[in-house]
Amino acid sequence: MAQRAVWLISHEPGTPLGGTVRFSRRYPTVEKRAKVFNGTSYVPIPEDGPFLKSLLFELRLLDEDRDFMESRDSCSRINKTSVYGLKVGGEELWPVVAFLKNGIVYACVPLVEQTLSPRPALISISAISQGFELLFGIQDFLYSSQKIDTELNTKLSQLPDLLLQACPFGTLLDANLQNSLDSISFASVTHPQKQPAWKAGAYKGKPQVSISITEKVKSMQYDKQDIADTWQVVGTVTCKCDLEGIMPNVTISLSLPTNGSPLQDILVHPCVTSLDSAILTSSSIDAMDDSAFSGPYKFPFTPPLESFNLCYYTSQVPVPPILGFYQMKEEEVQLKITVNLKLHESVKNNFEFCEAHIPFYNRGPITHVEYKVSFGQLEVFREKSLLIWIIGQKFPKSMEISLSGTVTFGAKSHEKQPFDHICIGGTAYLKLHFRILDYTLTGCYADQHSVQVFASGKPKISTHRKLISSDYYIWNSKAPAPVTYGSLLL
Amino acid sequence: MGLLSREAWAQRLGAFRASPSAYMAAPEGEDLGRDLLSDLRSEKLSEQTKVSMLALSLEYPAQLWPDAPTAEAAATSLLDTLVLLPPRPSALRRPLLLAATTALVTGGVLGPTSGASLRLLPLLLGLASGGDLGRGFGPSSEQRPLQATACECLRELESCKPGLLGGCLGLLHGLLGQEGPVAPVQPLSLLLALALRNTLVIQARARASLQGLLTVRASPPGGGPWNWTLAQEGEAHLQPQAPSWPAAEEECGLSALEPSPEEARELRAAVAQLLDTSYLLTPVAQAQLLWLLGWALRGLRGQPPVLFKPQLVRLLGTAQLTLLHAVLALKAAFGEALFTAQDEALLLRRLTLAAQHPALPLPAHLFYLHCLLSFPENCPLGPAGEEAAPLLLEPQLCRGLLPSLLHDPMALLARLHLLCLLCAEDEQKEEKGQAQSPCHYLQELLAGLQQRAALTGGPRALATLCFQASYLVAHCLAGHHTVLAPLTHGLAQLYRARPALAPHFVDLLDQVAPELGEPLRVVLRQEVVSRPGGDEALRWHLQMLAKVADRDAQSATLGFLQAAAAHCTDWGLQQALLRVCRALLRAGVGGGLADLLQALARQLEDPDGRDHARLYYVLLSHLSGPKLGVALGPSLAAPALTSSLVAENQGFATALMVQEAPAPIRLSVGPRRAEGPVPVLQLQVEVLEPVYSLELRFRVEGQLYAPLGAVHVPCLCPGRPARPLLLPLQPRRPAPAQLDIRALYTKSTGLTCYTHLPPLPVKFADLFLPFPKAPEDARLGFFEELWDSCLPKGTESRLWCPLGPQGLEALVSRHLEPFVVVAQPPTSYHIAIRLPPDSKLLLRLEAAQADGVPVVLRTDDWAVLPLVGDYLRGLSAAV
């Protein structure tokens, strides 16, 4: 269940090495066990330099477009998980858990408590999920409130001490590194009662509970006979409970209005102590019917100190908030485009912002645009080959707006204009970006009065809601578009 | 080296970390371990510096203190430093404990003979149990973190030496149940769970019982010596034992352990207690606890796994990777005993959900997808160890898990694999032929991937993805013509659009040869040869053709090459062209190719190219087909290099040169055949492996015989009786000789081999020939005539020929029968032997007695007398 070593590598394209090891930590006692467990299949952990080189090569993060290289490009080298075998000094180091996020490669080598040949299935190696969790934990810590690069450096410099707390011998004790950081400062408190390991201390101060529901809506719209449009809501309920006492109990209920869309695919935070089976089984996999469980969704839990995601859910609302079509046709040297967007009447017509981005890939810079909009205004980014239609805070009374025009392009120069491997030929999309405050598409809300807190003092309870667009695509209906299996099944 | 400043240490540590091996190889590396230990006690260095020094020792103890004595000394020194710390709060106590533990483990010194171990263990146990150590060990504010650290150190020691804490189970159990100011739950729980599991495994192997280990509350630090018994038994148990996946642990199960009812109750109580308080643990620690307890209880009698049940619903609700993974481990460990069919279905649904939930990161999705395809089913149907869709995973459930072009490459491949599995099943059920069928969707997806890969100037990763997908499909759906035919067609189109992908095609052909190789080869060849020769992508076409050209469609291929030859202006292109010719040669293409090679030998600009063309022409016109194939095949001696020259030279070296080899042939002399005008040796031949075109060459030292002709055998196989080989001898003098024999043959691999066989003797008697038979009544006269003719030129001699028990008659019939002219059995024989080239030997054997017969002999050749003597004297021995 232990890790043999862990690394953070910043990916720096264009530099001679392609990256720098920003942090590494080895666990010699685990290595000692690896040697025994792996027997003749044991491969030692390399030093940072060779590891960096080999990992970046395997992840295809070195200069990409060189010649075909069998060791990298052979069709039989298929990785279906973020677990790799690295060629190091003629041997293969496996398993290496690694992924790239925000320009940093997170990597670790989990201990396998048996021989490596034949390779055991990943599912049978307990240290694999522990390794993932460690890397996710480090990632959360680095980016929890990261604004600027200097802050990242500060956090990186805290890592050695933090891992000494959270993973002293390679066996992870807590993936929440922030908690480990807090536990250093809370260390002097005495504990008359059993203290959860995930809670470093106790809160002192005015009791308050804050609940915010953020829904993201994504959609793929095609405006085609044979392809169904799809849309989905993904909700996140975030809580911050400032309550006194070691183990205060809180129950939050999420409710839906009549005609609200049932919540599905609910995943909860590990601090939730029990779960109704209806919550556990409500799933988007099943066909929807009226008998679907529609709440209230009760979550009893003992909160940790920090802000946490109480639960995630998805939901299938009956209609997408904005339905539209996008038609783009190539006419000799120019493109003729028509866009139509319609806000559904049930949706709150009060946006924080609403924009439609219309990118043109694999073409030259925009040289000329002629257009007509029924509402809002159009901004042209010539070099980026991008149009942004700023719709603003409200749709007009008709709820329907349109844009039409022609766009002409200059000669293509590869460096500046965006390349895209989906938008080939007529395949094109527009992407909607919008945000509506104090609103959820499902109707889901946390009633202040339904929040039960079993702790000293009456807490102040605040709730927040918002709807954000995410991956909201409307595809050109005059050309082929990428579809998912779900779109085909109607 | 004297005391270093803070900056000097920072620099030193930095230099070490940059490359530990280089640093330790340099002179400054030598003292690092010693300096580190001594400077830890320096009052001039800040705690922060010391912590970073200790951090280094935690990571690289083996470099700092490479052998057991230095590790022991280091651990002792670290413990001394710890004891000498002033009683105020210090950041050094934790890392010192960790460092001492690490040094002991990595130095391999943990054991009853190590002084440092005997100091550290009671110290850790005392700290862990929260007892007063009597020395004012640190301020009270530090007690709790130190308690936790001590538990962690003990856990690490127990991990590396299973059974170490077997004697402390009772103590740990008691601590966990303690009321009032309590020890930290997580470190104690994990420590107890690990110690419990190790003890159970060791006791089960030793076929011993728990011996009340859980109930005995006495603790060794009370003054008694540490109990090493279990640890010594456990020594062998860190051996690879596949404990990672409970299903793999079948053979070393715990069923051997038979706890008493009381022990079983105690054990159950301990496990229940651990599980009940598990919500106090962090999620990752909960997962570790579940794995450990799952291992501990699996197969143990009287321990129903229902203990775990209350935890499951809570665990299934979370998205935590470690927790779901631990549930899967429990599933694998207990199967139906813990998960009914309904539970299994629910677990599968949660897993399916987690594998696609938008709130989770991609690496988690991919891992869940892997778990789904390796799901530990209650009733598995397929072969173990192979990824397959579980039975309960209905296609309906998988809808959201199917790939689309918008996915990241890794996700796409993982989901594509699932789609292939579904297609395989779908086709088994029935041919639906609907647009929505998974197979149809798969085709659309492949077409999309091909279209993307065809983008000129697109990143190589996109092309690679397309070929990986093709490989996966060919592999999973081998034999599914409805999928593979469009795939082949699509790939041909991709080649047409972007010939620069030729290396990917060659690679794909290598990888999918059994499933897709032949049809793909055909369409790609058509694709290439239908081009005009002067294409700008000629280099790729030639590379492609070198892979796909064979005997079929030779005229089109040769036509293309002829057209291409005019455009092969540089060395590289000419080499590529010649590589194709080489491939054709190997495939056994004849006539047209000879013309092409001749033309190339004249036409190519590069002299090297011309030479090669000529060489190929010579080879083509002189070597038989199979031989050519071997000559031009990849060298067996070394992996082929990219240069055709090197590859070729290696091929020739092995194939065209004669190899010296140990003989798979055995020769022996068969029975004599005394007839004909010259003596003929009958050779028996045996082979150990098939041998073709065998040529045997014989030589006789000293020109005793005329030069011997070679013997040829077309083919010999082991186990198949071979006809004897006849070797006519032409002696220049009637004398025995040694035959020196060499064999030249071709093996079934086509290699020509040469070998020196052991020499064979030609005996004096092998040269004997009879005189022509005279009519019955004239025989005596004939013999007398011969007898008289020997003198005076020759000689007469008398000698005694000893007889064996069989007597004279047997001796004659066995050795001299063909040469008898007049016989009066059993007492008198007249024998006449012709000795080539032109000598004779006449024997009179008369008046035999019991132990011998007097022989009167005459010969016209003095030189043979000693030979005859030896021969006759040897006869009785030879009977």
Side-chain angles (χ1 to χ4, degrees):
Chain A
M1 277 175 283
Q3 308 302 313
R4 294 164 61 187
V6 54
W7 290 265
L8 296 189
I9 293 168
S10 58
H11 175 220
E12 293 149 5
T15 58
L17 293 175
T20 317
V21 175
R22 301 292 292 269
F23 169 79
S24 75
R25 173 79 160 94
R26 286 162 174 73
Y27 293 101
T29 52
V30 183
E31 199 59 19
K32 187 102 181 164
R33 297 208 289 279
K35 211 178 276 180
V36 179
F37 280 129
N38 299 165
T40 51
S41 54
Y42 168 76
V43 176
I45 297 285
E47 289 190 1
D48 287 356
F51 181 83
L52 169 83
K53 198 173 160 203
S54 182
L55 182 67
L56 294 184
F57 176 80
E58 188 62 37
L59 294 178
R60 303 176 159 271
L61 294 177
L62 296 175
D63 288 338
E64 194 58 41
D65 261 353
R66 278 204 228 127
D67 291 341
F68 174 84
M69 289 175 72
E70 197 180 335
S71 56
R72 179 192 62 197
D73 298 320
S74 172
C75 61
S76 59
R77 289 183 57 83
I78 293 181
N79 251 25
K80 292 182 289 181
T81 58
S82 314
V83 180
Y84 302 85
L86 297 193
K87 286 269 183 303
V88 184
E91 294 176 298
E92 193 166 24
L93 180 69
W94 183 90
V96 179
V97 172
F99 56 84
L100 173 73
K101 187 83 191 181
N102 298 330
I104 293 199
V105 181
Y106 298 80
C108 64
V109 181
L111 170 71
V112 181
E113 300 185 14
Q114 64 184 84
T115 174
L116 298 176
S117 73
R119 276 185 189 177
L122 292 179
I123 192 177
S124 70
I125 304 168
S126 60
I128 292 279
S129 56
Q130 295 273 335
F132 272 118
E133 214 73 77
L134 170 62
L135 300 181
F136 292 153
I138 295 175
Q139 185 197 328
D140 286 348
F141 170 71
L142 292 184
Y143 285 92
S144 54
S145 64
Q146 187 244 333
K147 300 265 161 34
I148 38 170
D149 203 41
T150 51
E151 193 170 342
L152 180 68
N153 283 333
T154 313
K155 292 205 163 185
L156 278 170
S157 70
Q158 289 174 316
L159 269 182
D161 283 345
L162 278 182
L163 283 199
L164 206 58
Q165 292 284 332
C167 194
F169 282 114
T171 308
L172 185 59
L173 306 178
D174 192 353
N176 184 345
L177 298 190
Q178 193 62 46
N179 191 38
S180 298
L181 195 61
D182 295 342
S183 78
I184 300 174
S185 48
F186 274 111
S188 58
V189 185
T190 50
H191 306 273
Q193 201 188 333
K194 287 200 170 165
Q195 171 89 14
W198 35 265
K199 194 168 177 180
Y203 172 80
K204 291 255 183 292
K206 231 170 95 181
Q208 50 189 351
V209 173
S210 155
I211 307 161
S212 53
I213 304 175
T214 305
E215 287 189 349
K216 288 184 175 174
V217 59
K218 41 185 198 174
S219 183
M220 293 281 245
Q221 298 179 19
Y222 300 98
D223 186 33
K224 284 188 181 179
Q225 289 287 322
D226 50 345
I227 305 175
D229 294 345
T230 59
W231 57 94
Q232 188 186 33
V233 175
V234 184
T236 307
V237 181
T238 310
C239 289
K240 175 91 169 80
C241 300
D242 297 328
L243 299 169
E244 293 194 339
I246 296 284
M247 295 281 279
N249 281 318
V250 182
T251 301
I252 288 180
S253 301
L254 300 180
S255 311
L256 293 175
T258 18
N259 298 335
S261 305
L263 311 187
Q264 302 168 321
D265 303 343
I266 298 168
L267 301 176
V268 298
H269 190 270
C271 74
V272 174
T273 47
S274 71
L275 213 50
D276 196 298
S277 67
I279 293 180
L280 203 56
T281 50
S282 105
S283 156
S284 61
I285 296 163
D286 302 311
M288 288 272 290
D289 57 30
D290 293 340
S291 67
F293 179 67
S294 60
Y297 304 85
K298 280 187 192 248
F299 301 99
F301 60 95
T302 309
L305 283 177
E306 69 280 358
S307 169
F308 68 101
N309 293 329
L310 176 67
C311 74
Y312 304 100
Y313 60 83
T314 70
S315 182
Q316 193 58 61
V317 292
V319 285
I322 298 175
L323 186 65
F325 66 77
Y326 172 33
Q327 295 173 347
M328 183 191 95
K329 262 189 175 168
E330 197 134 21
E331 285 184 355
E332 289 168 17
V333 292
Q334 58 186 16
L335 289 181
K336 189 161 182 279
I337 61 169
T338 313
V339 181
N340 187 291
L341 301 174
K342 186 165 192 278
L343 180 68
H344 194 266
E345 58 204 5
S346 65
V347 177
K348 177 175 170 181
N349 189 3
N350 187 357
F351 291 80
E352 192 180 31
F353 64 87
C354 181
E355 298 171 354
H357 290 214
I358 312 172
F360 299 98
Y361 291 105
N362 311 327
R363 294 173 194 277
I366 296 175
T367 51
H368 184 72
V369 183
E370 274 178 37
Y371 69 93
K372 204 174 91 190
V373 285
S374 71
F375 194 78
Q377 63 253 220
L378 192 72
E379 286 189 10
V380 181
F381 295 83
R382 291 175 184 271
E383 283 301 314
K384 290 184 188 164
S385 314
L386 172 71
L387 300 180
I388 296 185
W389 182 11
I390 297 170
I391 296 156
Q393 273 71 44
K394 265 183 188 305
F395 271 62
K397 274 225 173 87
S398 65
M399 298 287 189
E400 195 165 355
I401 57 176
S402 62
L403 156 73
S404 57
T406 56
V407 190
T408 320
F409 298 90
K412 188 154 62 172
S413 69
H414 269 293
E415 293 78 33
K416 284 183 183 160
Q417 276 74 44
F419 172 83
D420 186 86
H421 52 257
I422 304 272
C423 296
I424 305 162
T427 301
Y429 62 80
L430 77 79
K431 192 172 175 187
L432 285 178
H433 297 260
F434 57 84
R435 181 184 291 174
I436 308 176
L437 295 180
D438 200 21
Y439 177 74
T440 52
L441 208 53
T442 56
C444 175
Y445 63 98
D447 187 354
Q448 295 191 9
H449 306 291
S450 72
V451 178
Q452 296 171 306
V453 177
F454 306 96
S456 57
K458 190 171 164 52
K460 180 179 169 241
I461 293 167
S462 55
T463 60
H464 313 271
R465 298 196 294 171
K466 62 174 177 261
L467 173 72
I468 310 174
S469 72
S470 142
D471 299 337
Y472 206 105
Y473 292 96
I474 300 175
W475 292 90
N476 174 19
S477 54
K478 299 293 179 196
V483 292
T484 58
Y485 190 61
S487 299
L488 284 179
L489 277 181
L490 251 199
Chain B
M1 204 181 280
L3 190 62
L4 289 174
S5 68
R6 187 172 66 88
E7 292 75 22
W9 265 111
Q11 199 185 8
R12 214 171 164 192
L13 298 181
F16 177 89
R17 279 184 180 279
S19 176
S21 57
Y23 187 89
M24 292 313 283
E28 60 265 33
E30 208 172 303
D31 301 325
L32 184 64
R34 210 179 48 216
D35 293 350
L36 194 146
L37 289 174
S38 66
D39 280 12
L40 277 177
R41 294 189 204 165
S42 149
E43 286 176 13
K44 298 208 173 119
L45 291 176
S46 68
E47 283 206 330
Q48 195 47 47
T49 304
K50 290 182 185 173
V51 168
S52 61
M53 287 156 65
L54 283 170
L56 192 80
S57 78
L58 284 173
E59 285 196 66
Y60 298 98
Q63 283 81 354
L64 296 175
W65 309 300
D67 49 30
T70 52
E72 167 82 18
T76 309
S77 168
L78 289 166
L79 284 173
D80 289 342
T81 309
L82 178 67
V83 174
L84 291 174
L85 284 179
R88 58 169 187 268
S90 164
L92 292 181
R93 288 193 178 86
R94 276 194 80 237
L96 277 170
L97 283 176
L98 300 175
T101 305
T102 305
L104 279 182
V105 169
T106 49
V109 283
L110 180 67
T113 55
S114 143
S117 305
L118 297 180
R119 279 176 70 192
L120 179 66
L121 283 168
L123 174 64
L124 291 176
L125 200 61
L127 282 172
S129 51
D132 181 18
L133 289 164
R135 299 182 190 163
F137 193 87
S140 61
S141 65
E142 260 184 73
Q143 201 199 348
R144 203 176 158 79
L146 280 180
Q147 206 174 351
T149 304
C151 288
E152 291 310 326
C153 291
L154 285 172
R155 179 148 76 113
E156 197 60 17
L157 293 172
E158 170 74 27
S159 299
C160 295
K161 213 171 190 64
L164 185 71
L165 294 174
C168 310
L169 279 179
L171 175 76
L172 296 173
H173 186 200
L175 279 175
L176 200 60
Q178 212 169 340
E179 296 291 324
V182 282
V185 178
Q186 174 166 313
L188 262 180
S189 298
L190 292 176
L191 180 58
L192 176 59
L194 178 69
L196 189 63
R197 173 204 168 233
N198 285 350
T199 306
L200 287 171
V201 170
I202 293 168
Q203 295 295 74
R205 291 198 177 200
R207 313 222 163 237
S209 81
L210 272 178
Q211 295 161 346
L213 285 170
L214 260 174
T215 40
V216 178
R217 293 284 148 99
S219 56
W226 193 269
N227 179 359
W228 292 91
T229 339
L230 275 177
Q232 273 151 5
E233 277 174 32
E235 204 76 66
H237 294 262
L238 195 59
Q239 301 304 320
Q241 54 176 352
S244 310
W245 197 234
E249 219 186 359
E250 208 68 70
E251 75 289 352
C252 63
L254 298 169
S255 48
L257 202 62
E258 285 187 46
S260 68
E262 193 186 333
E263 279 173 350
R265 204 161 44 242
E266 192 74 27
L267 184 60
R268 198 155 49 235
V271 173
Q273 185 189 13
L274 284 170
L275 287 172
D276 284 348
T277 51
S278 67
Y279 70 96
L280 293 170
L281 274 54
T282 61
V284 288
Q286 286 183 40
Q288 291 165 25
L289 188 79
L290 291 172
W291 278 86
L292 287 171
L293 294 179
W295 289 334
L297 294 198
R298 182 183 146 74
L300 196 60
R301 286 182 204 177
Q303 300 296 336
V306 285
L307 283 174
F308 292 100
K309 208 128 201 180
Q311 308 293 328
L312 290 181
V313 173
R314 182 173 71 82
L315 298 174
L316 281 178
T318 77
Q320 202 87 25
L321 197 64
T322 43
L323 288 177
L324 266 187
H325 194 193
V327 172
L328 287 168
L330 290 177
K331 175 80 177 63
F334 299 111
E336 259 176 316
L338 188 56
F339 290 82
T340 62
Q342 285 80 10
D343 295 339
E344 184 176 54
L346 177 64
L347 179 53
L348 261 179
R349 288 171 71 97
R350 292 301 293 185
L351 207 52
T352 314
L353 161 66
Q356 55 183 303
H357 202 287
L360 300 180
L362 176 66
H365 282 169
L366 296 174
F367 183 70
Y368 285 134
L369 201 53
H370 163 80
C371 291
L372 205 56
L373 295 187
S374 312
F375 186 77
E377 295 181 85
N378 282 349
C379 314
L381 280 182
E386 221 169 80
E387 286 197 325
L391 201 61
L392 287 175
L393 187 74
E394 295 152 15
Q396 175 72 9
L397 279 177
C398 302
R399 265 176 51 185
L401 285 178
L402 296 185
S404 99
L405 287 181
L406 298 167
H407 283 120
D408 166 275
M410 218 154 33
L412 189 140
L413 290 170
R415 287 164 167 245
L416 180 66
H417 187 199
L418 178 67
L419 177 59
C420 289
L421 294 172
L422 291 180
C423 285
E425 265 179 28
D426 194 52
E427 208 159 83
Q428 272 167 19
K429 280 177 197 157
E430 60 186 307
E431 194 61 58
K432 285 184 186 159
Q434 295 167 351
Q436 296 93 338
S437 80
C439 286
H440 182 78
Y441 183 66
L442 176 63
Q443 283 166 29
E444 302 250 304
L445 185 77
L446 288 172
L449 284 171
Q450 285 156 358
Q451 194 191 4
R452 267 173 21 173
L455 269 186
T456 312
R460 184 169 298 280
L462 280 182
T464 304
L465 180 62
C466 174
F467 285 92
Q468 286 171 326
S470 307
Y471 167 80
L472 203 57
V473 170
H475 218 66
C476 294
L477 295 171
H480 291 67
H481 184 70
T482 46
V483 175
L484 295 190
L487 173 63
T488 313
H489 178 70
L491 285 171
Q493 277 185 324
L494 174 59
Y495 183 77
R496 190 181 310 154
R498 203 175 168 200
L501 297 181
H504 288 270
F505 279 96
V506 171
D507 171 57
L508 182 70
L509 279 165
D510 283 336
Q511 304 294 340
V512 299
E515 297 93 354
L516 200 59
E518 203 40 49
L520 187 57
R521 177 194 294 271
V522 170
V523 293
L524 286 174
R525 190 182 53 228
Q526 281 165 359
E527 208 51 61
V528 173
V529 300
S530 60
R531 305 278 186 127
D535 204 315
E536 60 184 12
L538 183 56
R539 158 168 113 90
W540 304 120
H541 295 328
L542 291 173
Q543 185 179 3
M544 195 72 249
L545 206 52
K547 180 75 196 167
V548 298
D550 58 17
R551 293 175 76 102
D552 300 334
Q554 356 182 325
S555 64
T557 308
L558 291 170
F560 172 82
L561 291 177
Q562 248 140 14
H567 302 275
C568 291
T569 44
D570 67 23
W571 185 86
L573 280 175
Q574 292 177 13
Q575 285 301 309
L577 181 68
L578 287 164
R579 259 194 293 273
V580 184
C581 295
R582 207 177 126 101
L584 289 171
L585 272 178
R586 287 185 61 189
V589 172
L593 182 60
D595 296 342
L596 175 65
L597 285 171
Q598 267 186 317
L600 290 180
R602 283 194 304 272
Q603 173 188 340
L604 289 182
E605 281 170 31
D606 185 68
D608 178 51
R610 285 200 302 272
D611 283 352
H612 260 81
R614 199 167 300 121
L615 172 64
Y616 289 156
Y617 176 72
V618 171
L619 289 174
L620 177 64
S621 48
H622 285 82
L623 290 182
S624 65
K627 188 89 185 171
L628 246 182
V630 178
L632 295 167
S635 158
L636 303 170
L641 298 176
T642 38
S643 155
S644 69
L645 292 178
V646 177
E648 225 150 60
N649 287 343
Q650 283 174 341
F652 292 154
T654 51
L656 294 188
M657 280 171 57
V658 175
Q659 312 282 307
E660 183 140 12
I665 304 164
R666 241 180 271 145
L667 272 187
S668 54
V669 179
R672 219 183 315 147
R673 30 172 287 162
E675 58 184 44
V678 290
V680 172
L681 213 53
Q682 281 210 68
L683 297 174
Q684 305 283 5
V685 56
E686 275 180 272
V687 291
L688 305 174
E689 58 178 89
V691 160
Y692 303 96
S693 310
L694 174 65
E695 177 177 308
L696 293 167
R697 295 178 185 168
F698 303 90
R699 208 164 59 84
V700 178
E701 287 290 336
Q703 301 192 328
L704 283 173
Y705 303 168
L708 300 171
V711 175
H712 292 98
V713 189
C715 169
L716 286 170
C717 285
R720 202 181 297 165
R723 275 200 279 163
L725 309 179
L726 302 180
L727 179 68
L729 303 172
Q730 290 182 319
R732 288 183 171 136
R733 287 202 284 122
Q738 285 266 53
L739 289 180
D740 178 70
I741 312 166
R742 282 147 209 267
L744 199 64
Y745 59 92
T746 303
K747 297 217 239 188
S748 50
T749 52
L751 291 180
T752 301
C753 294
Y754 157 84
T755 191
H756 204 148
L757 295 173
L760 283 181
V762 181
K763 296 193 204 100
F764 180 51
D766 291 333
L767 304 178
F768 292 1
L769 289 172
F771 280 92
K773 289 257 187 249
E776 193 75 44
D777 52 343
R779 282 190 187 167
L780 189 59
F782 174 65
F783 182 81
E784 293 300 343
E785 208 170 299
L786 285 174
W787 184 259
D788 293 340
S789 69
C790 287
L791 293 178
K793 190 182 113 200
T795 180
E796 181 176 303
S797 178
R798 288 164 188 270
L799 44 87
W800 182 255
C801 173
L803 285 177
Q806 285 94 345
L808 181 62
E809 197 176 2
L811 182 122
V812 170
S813 76
R814 184 178 293 260
H815 298 287
L816 297 165
E817 180 73 45
F819 316 110
V820 175
V821 182
V822 182
Q824 286 171 342
T827 53
S828 166
Y829 298 91
H830 293 178
I831 293 162
I833 298 168
R834 200 154 64 83
L835 288 172
D838 49 7
S839 309
K840 48 186 174 275
L841 170 66
L842 305 169
L843 307 171
R844 283 176 189 266
L845 289 74
E846 281 166 330
Q849 294 168 27
D851 56 345
V853 60
V855 180
V856 186
L857 69 87
R858 278 191 185 184
T859 172
D860 55 356
D861 187 348
W862 282 78
V864 302
L865 272 183
L867 296 170
V868 178
D870 289 345
Y871 172 70
L872 288 175
R873 276 187 294 275
L875 280 184
S876 66
V879 167

